[in-house]
Amino acid sequence: MGVGLASTARAAVEVPRVSATVSLRIAADLGSLAGRVRLTVEVGDTALDHVDLWAFPERLASPPPAMDEVDEPRLFPAGFRPGGMQITEVLDAGGRALVIERLDTTRFRVALSSPVPPGGRAELDVAFTTTVPWRFGPFGHDAGELTLDGGFFPRPPPLESGHFRADLPPDLLRFDLRVTWEGEQHALAVVNGRVTRLPPSGGAVAVGEGAARRVALLLLTRHHVSTLDTPQGRVVFIHRSERRGRRAPGELFDFGFLDVQGQVLATVGAAMGFLAQQGIAPPATLLCVEAPLRRSIARAAPGMLLVSDRAFDLTPYEPLRRFHRLPLVRAAAAVSLESQVAQAAPPGRADQVSDMVAADLAERWEQLRYGGHEGARELLSKGSFVAEVDDALNAPQIPFESVYFRGPNDTDAFRDTLELFSHERPVGRFWREKLVDRVGANATAAVAQAVATGLPLEKALARHAHEVDLTWLASWDEGTPPRNYALAETTRGADAEGPYVDVRVRVEGPPLPAERVTVRVAGGSQGPAEASAIVGEPDATIRVRTDARRPRVQLDPRRRLEQSDMGRPVDPRADDLSHPRWRVLLDGVGVSLNSASSRVDTLITGFIRREADIDNSILLAAFDLERRTGVSVDWIRGLGPKVVPNRRRFGLGLGTSVAWLKPQGKLGSGLGLRLRVGFGDLTFRSRTDPRRGVARGLWLGPTMALRDGRADAGFSVSGFLGRLVPVGARHTLGGVLRADALFGEVSSSESLGIGGLGAVRAFATFARLGEMRITGSLEWRHRYTRDVAIDVGHLAWVQGIDGVFFVDAGLLGATPRGTFRQAALSLGVGYGLRFHYVVGGLSPMVFSLDAAVPILDGGRLARGVAPVTILAGVGQSF
């Protein structure tokens, strides 16, 4: 809890105690670096007999522990690629080789040939090689760009009282960097805001020097430059692709383009103007560099601002664009605050304090520009009746999730950046949110403004937020352990001030610093009423002034609390409501086009379920198929562990369907009825791109049909078993086996078909009919790319394309014996494409397009059927 607090007694101005002279050779493929670094460590008042070295890239040698099939495409273009660092030699000032000991994953210890006395200097000459992974983010290479935001050469952790503190963020470092570029074309090197042109296969070039907590190096093999001049200074944006919308003389203007680079320039320019209004002088030139960031829109780096190559790839609707503008403003503020906050922050906390102030400035800019605070939850709430929107709200699998939802803590969960990997501290925005909860937005803004203009943080807190101090803020440095807030009993009463409702709140989990808890009570004559209190005990009572006779209570209505399910398979917010809140959700519209039958089948599905209830759902469906049209209702009971936040692994179901049976030949229309009970098991995590897991289920029940004065009764059984197995980084093998059977007197409209989605795709749905069917599919799914940004009418962006080779086989007969004869066999092969796209920038989807060729029809070579069948739909085949 007290990490770094003792250091606040030292002088606020931080002086570099380590100097690094780095010579670096960058391979032409950008995948490796070789270099030497001469390190000088100024010893304090305690003799030093060793020097510890950080080898940050070793943190990237294995996949992030929490990475799953949803996160992987946003981290790696072609599956996991390891990073690493090898320290090959360490010499002392006299040229003697020193002994190197590995302490842990990212830390080495070098024993000095003799102790260095207090006040002396330890000098090392370190040879190293760094493996740079093919990886998105602030450390990796992609599409001809090398992005290394710190950590690419060995450096010591902070030195305090004779000990190297590997549990602290990096401290100030004085550096001098020279680079040799082995590529065959010119390149641009950007180091902490300094831009240098590198000749091809040339000699060493000085690219940067100065003092910083990290040295950020970007190398671009192709680039374009756009600029914007403002009264406060110039914005320079270096980007890989040519600026969209530029046209040659005489060329017609394209009104459909999105000027992404222009949006970046305009937003950063507006940020500079706002900062100047707040008394904060932005740099005379604010440099922005495009980088393949896929988990953040913008990132403050020393002397410059890194901008995602997916910034503003979303529908040009200003309430959406604000979500991309805010990270840019926050990062621009952090870059502008580098020198001021470094003087005002306690040593070791400059980045944290700078981000706290920058986050507050961004919130104030939003208030000025848009008139208030809004997150995706507020924006999408009006459309939350759509199940896809509900999933985005409660189980998001969207890019830049923290950008849109803006929870209290947006610290990167993987902590795989130089400034985060060594400790557990949250980013400064979390401090800002806790301050707002404790002392309010106005006092927090006053603290941030005071720090931004040079006042030390402790003095700013004492002056404007006397209830808290740095010790209280630092008590959150270990993050938030599992903790759950739950409503207990509610009591109505009255006193001299009037009626009230007392709400008891129960707190589960380990002790944690006290924080503000808010409850809302609806049902009163004056509308909903709210009250809050600072809660630090396992039980607390919050009094809300309201005359509600039947109070409907909600805990934490603005989701300011980070809550845990405490290991239970329930939504952690299921106990935040005192009343069941039923919701009707439109799940979506499914469309299947089969060219062999010239038929479009449609399906509309929806849910009825209670908010935060993942145990019970009522599934509603309306369908229009080739032979019947109807509706169905199923109750699904969730069981077992959670697979995703709003779904359990197992489901037990009970349902019924009623259908109009369409006329066929000499048969008139009729009425069909089915009852069924079933059980399912689904472990896929990704809704659009599953790569591993199983899907299986069994449904059975009676069926009845009334047609032409005749009643037919029978029994149906359906089962399926599917499995996906990843093979390497780009490939997935999948298979599914389905079995369907109808027993008794069954209407021809209920008969099973051989073709279409879910069966043998090379045939029309009812090319052959039967009552017993077994079908199987094998698929080889392979990735072509996950690194495109194809704009589709400004409504969706194609971000990945996959190929699928498939083989479908089916057995279809009227009896069990007939089903296993040669004449029952149908076989088809085909190839398909899967287009992964993001609707509006928020909702991932997949569009499928398959072409299938029939091989066997009824046990014989296929003749007289469509030579190629084209099928289009939304979603994977299974």
Side-chain angles (χ1 to χ4, degrees):
M1 292 289 188
V3 170
L5 288 180
S7 66
T8 62
R10 304 199 325 243
V13 178
E14 196 173 358
V15 177
R17 301 182 61 180
V18 176
S19 298
T21 302
V22 188
S23 298
L24 198 65
R25 182 175 293 272
I26 303 177
D29 65 359
L30 306 178
S32 62
L33 315 173
R36 300 191 76 93
V37 54
R38 296 185 64 86
L39 294 169
T40 301
V41 181
E42 296 183 1
V43 180
D45 55 5
T46 303
L48 196 66
D49 61 2
H50 68 275
V51 173
D52 287 357
L53 296 176
W54 267 334
F56 164 72
E58 288 291 290
R59 172 68 175 244
L60 312 177
S62 57
M67 185 181 73
D68 59 22
E69 60 188 7
V70 176
D71 296 312
E72 184 191 14
R74 299 169 198 160
L75 286 166
F76 302 99
F80 172 71
R81 294 291 191 274
M85 176 178 283
Q86 296 77 45
I87 297 178
T88 55
E89 182 183 54
V90 181
L91 307 177
D92 65 11
R96 288 169 293 190
L98 301 179
V99 177
I100 309 169
E101 176 190 2
R102 185 164 197 149
L103 299 180
D104 54 36
T105 304
T106 59
R107 189 161 53 112
F108 293 81
R109 175 161 292 174
V110 178
L112 300 177
S113 54
S114 59
V116 178
R121 291 184 176 183
E123 297 185 4
L124 302 177
D125 183 1
V126 184
F128 65 95
T129 59
T130 299
T131 301
V132 181
W134 186 13
R135 178 186 177 114
F136 297 134
F139 197 99
H141 70 88
D142 176 65
E145 180 175 356
L146 178 71
T147 307
L148 303 173
D149 190 5
F152 55 89
F153 60 86
R155 61 175 290 179
L159 178 63
E160 287 189 355
S161 304
H163 299 282
F164 288 97
R165 296 290 303 275
D167 57 340
L168 294 180
D171 57 356
L172 208 59
L173 171 82
R174 190 172 300 281
F175 74 95
D176 188 332
L177 177 62
R178 300 178 69 84
V179 166
T180 300
W181 163 234
E182 295 183 344
E184 297 180 354
Q185 74 273 39
H186 282 86
L188 205 67
V190 186
V191 176
N192 286 23
R194 173 177 164 181
V195 181
T196 306
R197 187 174 174 85
L198 299 179
S201 304
V205 178
V207 294
E209 62 182 358
R213 286 175 179 77
R214 64 185 192 269
V215 181
L217 165 64
L218 284 84
L219 187 146
L220 296 89
T221 57
R222 64 180 191 273
H223 70 277
H224 300 269
V225 179
S226 299
T227 62
L228 175 69
D229 289 315
T230 75
Q232 293 74 37
R234 168 169 286 195
V235 184
V236 177
F237 187 20
I238 301 174
H239 44 92
R240 292 200 302 254
S241 302
E242 189 172 1
R243 185 167 176 181
R244 303 179 195 177
R246 284 191 172 177
R247 56 196 175 96
E251 188 177 44
L252 290 177
F253 187 78
D254 178 10
F255 288 98
F257 81 94
L258 291 179
D259 184 5
V260 170
Q261 292 81 12
Q263 292 292 330
V264 172
L265 290 169
T267 304
V268 176
M272 293 177 71
F274 170 75
L275 292 172
Q277 293 174 4
Q278 307 305 310
I280 301 166
T285 299
L286 186 50
L287 179 65
C288 306
V289 186
E290 184 180 74
L293 309 179
R294 302 299 167 81
R295 303 202 314 275
S296 58
I297 293 295
R299 174 180 169 84
M304 57 188 174
L305 192 148
L306 305 187
V307 180
S308 171
D309 56 359
R310 295 293 182 264
F312 295 105
D313 273 353
L314 75 171
T315 299
Y317 173 52
E318 191 57 31
L320 287 176
R321 279 179 167 169
R322 75 190 294 174
F323 297 124
H324 285 216
R325 297 195 196 284
L326 282 167
L328 285 165
V329 174
R330 175 175 165 186
V335 172
S336 302
L337 290 166
E338 279 179 337
S339 58
Q340 293 98 315
V341 172
Q343 306 298 323
R349 294 190 179 273
D351 286 345
Q352 199 173 16
V353 175
S354 176
D355 186 59
M356 180 188 77
V357 176
D360 189 78
L361 288 167
E363 296 286 334
R364 286 151 60 189
W365 178 85
E366 180 189 25
Q367 181 73 35
L368 184 67
R369 170 72 182 269
Y370 296 101
H373 172 94
E374 185 176 54
R377 197 168 302 281
E378 292 83 6
L379 178 67
L380 298 176
S381 60
K382 295 179 181 178
S384 60
F385 65 90
V386 178
E388 189 70 30
V389 175
D390 185 70
D391 282 342
L393 292 173
N394 296 297
Q397 294 187 358
I398 64 177
F400 308 118
E401 179 183 326
S402 65
V403 170
Y404 293 109
F405 287 94
R406 302 168 64 183
N409 189 3
D410 61 0
T411 308
D412 186 277
F414 297 136
R415 305 189 75 93
D416 55 359
T417 56
L418 179 66
E419 71 274 18
L420 290 178
F421 88 105
S422 59
H423 58 92
E424 295 301 321
R425 293 178 181 176
V427 296
R429 184 175 181 276
F430 186 64
W431 272 16
R432 187 262 174 190
E433 299 304 309
K434 291 304 173 185
L435 266 178
V436 169
D437 286 342
R438 192 63 180 260
V439 301
N442 291 337
T444 301
V447 170
Q449 185 69 30
V451 174
T453 51
L455 193 68
L457 176 60
E458 296 93 332
K459 291 184 178 179
L461 290 170
R463 180 178 298 178
H464 301 289
H466 54 84
E467 298 177 33
V468 299
D469 56 20
L470 185 59
T471 303
W472 179 82
L473 284 175
S475 65
W476 297 99
D477 276 356
E478 300 301 319
T480 53
R483 202 178 199 193
N484 181 54
Y485 291 85
L487 291 175
E489 60 267 9
T490 299
T491 306
R492 293 176 57 240
D495 57 15
E497 297 182 31
Y500 61 81
V501 172
D502 279 344
V503 179
R504 191 166 71 88
V505 177
R506 185 177 68 252
V507 185
E508 300 176 272
L512 202 67
E515 59 182 331
R516 186 172 298 279
V517 177
T518 301
V519 295
R520 174 183 294 168
V521 178
S525 60
Q526 303 300 315
E530 290 186 4
S532 63
I534 302 298
V535 174
E537 301 297 328
D539 282 277
T541 298
I542 300 175
R543 176 163 293 184
V544 184
R545 290 290 173 181
T546 176
D547 59 357
R549 295 182 176 275
R550 296 181 179 179
R552 298 189 299 277
V553 184
Q554 181 180 5
L555 175 66
D556 190 26
R558 295 179 184 83
R559 297 191 176 227
R560 299 287 295 175
L561 304 173
E562 292 192 67
Q563 299 196 55
S564 167
D565 58 23
M566 308 301 290
R568 300 183 291 259
V570 295
D571 188 300
R573 297 186 178 276
D575 50 16
D576 288 359
L577 290 171
S578 66
H579 57 288
R581 182 179 171 186
W582 291 94
R583 311 180 65 212
V584 179
L585 305 175
L586 175 65
D587 189 25
V589 178
V591 179
S592 172
L593 170 64
N594 189 321
S595 67
S597 59
S598 300
R599 171 69 197 176
V600 177
D601 293 334
T602 56
L603 173 69
I604 302 175
T605 58
F607 287 98
I608 299 177
R609 64 183 178 211
R610 292 187 302 179
E611 186 172 357
D613 181 6
I614 67 172
D615 291 339
N616 300 279
S617 294
I618 299 174
L619 173 62
L620 308 174
F623 52 87
D624 178 29
L625 308 178
E626 187 170 337
R627 298 198 168 203
R628 57 186 180 272
T629 300
V631 296
S632 66
V633 181
D634 295 274
W635 167 68
I636 308 294
R637 171 71 177 180
L639 303 168
K642 280 191 299 186
V643 178
V644 293
N646 62 346
R647 174 172 59 83
R648 295 207 194 194
R649 173 172 179 174
F650 303 107
L652 179 65
L654 177 66
T656 182
S657 63
V658 180
W660 169 57
L661 308 180
K662 299 179 180 180
Q664 298 169 38
K666 297 181 180 181
L667 296 175
S669 61
L671 181 67
L673 176 66
R674 284 188 177 186
L675 300 175
R676 56 186 168 271
V677 63
F679 180 79
D681 174 13
L682 182 64
T683 63
F684 298 165
R685 288 185 58 83
S686 173
R687 293 193 297 271
T688 60
D689 188 24
R691 297 199 68 221
R692 68 182 76 241
V694 298
R696 51 193 167 193
L698 177 66
W699 290 86
L700 50 89
T703 179
M704 177 180 294
L706 301 175
R707 188 177 213 160
D708 296 337
R710 176 180 172 179
D712 296 325
F715 195 82
S716 67
V717 179
S718 297
F720 65 91
L721 172 62
R723 186 171 183 84
L724 294 173
V725 179
V727 181
R730 289 176 173 263
H731 305 277
T732 300
L733 294 180
V736 63
L737 183 67
R738 300 180 178 91
D740 303 278
L742 298 171
F743 302 96
E745 298 291 333
V746 179
S747 166
S748 60
S749 293
E750 302 291 301
S751 294
L752 305 169
I754 191 60
L757 293 175
V760 184
R761 282 167 272 190
F763 296 92
T765 306
F766 293 106
R768 301 175 67 87
L769 298 175
E771 280 69 50
M772 307 283 174
R773 180 179 66 183
I774 299 175
T775 61
S777 297
L778 293 176
E779 290 193 350
W780 166 40
R781 303 177 182 178
H782 45 281
R783 294 179 177 176
Y784 285 124
T785 178
R786 289 299 166 89
D787 194 18
V788 296
I790 303 173
D791 182 2
V792 182
H794 303 341
L795 298 177
W797 274 257
V798 176
Q799 297 191 337
I801 302 174
D802 296 349
V804 179
F805 175 77
F806 57 87
V807 178
D808 298 333
L811 294 169
L812 184 68
T815 63
R817 179 176 295 182
T819 303
F820 291 95
R821 291 179 177 175
Q822 180 179 340
L825 177 63
S826 297
L827 178 70
V829 299
Y831 193 82
L833 295 174
R834 302 291 181 265
F835 300 92
H836 297 270
Y837 58 99
V838 180
V839 178
L842 288 173
S843 179
M845 302 285 284
V846 60
F847 175 77
S848 62
L849 183 65
D850 292 336
V853 177
I855 304 298
L856 296 177
D857 179 18
R860 299 175 181 271
L861 288 176
R863 295 176 181 175
V865 297
V868 178
T869 299
I870 306 296
L871 300 97
V874 176
Q876 299 279 2
S877 57
F878 63 92

